[in-house]
Structure formats: C-alpha cells, structure tokens
Amino acid sequence: MITGKSIELEKAKTDFEKLIKENSLNKNFGKFKEVNNETNDFLGIAKLEAYE
C-alpha cells in the first residue's frame, strides 16, 4: 500500500483478506495485477468495480 507510511502486519493481513473476499464475488471485477504478456514486465495494479 503506497501511503507514505507503513502499516501494522495485522492490518495488512486484514486488508489482504478483504481483497481476496471482494475478488471472489465476481470473476470479472476486483483488483488485478497488470503485466506485459510479451515480456512479463509488471505494469501496475488496476481495480474494476461496478456501481449501482
């Protein structure tokens, strides 16, 4: 998490479990790691979510 300060391990674990739960609700939505398919270079992280 890029906030300029570190977080406690337990908070990181809680946030990660929440992310996993949210990603399991629908395979088309959630947080994704973006990589270049040709070079496997990391490009960034994206989030896709639906609003009402």
Side-chain angles (χ1 to χ4, degrees), residues 11-22:
K11 172 74 169 134
K13 287 180 180 180
T14 302
D15 291 351
F16 184 72
E17 290 299 323
K18 181 180 174 186
L19 181 148
I20 297 298
K21 182 178 178 183
E22 289 174 355

Side-chain angles (χ1 to χ4, degrees), residues 20-49:
I20 297 298
K21 182 178 178 183
E22 289 174 355
N23 275 10
S24 70
L25 296 176
N26 184 312
K27 69 177 185 168
N28 296 313
F29 299 103
K31 294 184 176 97
F32 301 89
K33 174 183 169 182
E34 300 294 325
V35 297
N36 182 312
N37 287 336
E38 294 176 3
T39 64
N40 206 34
D41 288 339
F42 175 75
L43 300 174
I45 297 174
K47 179 178 180 182
L48 181 62
E49 64 180 298

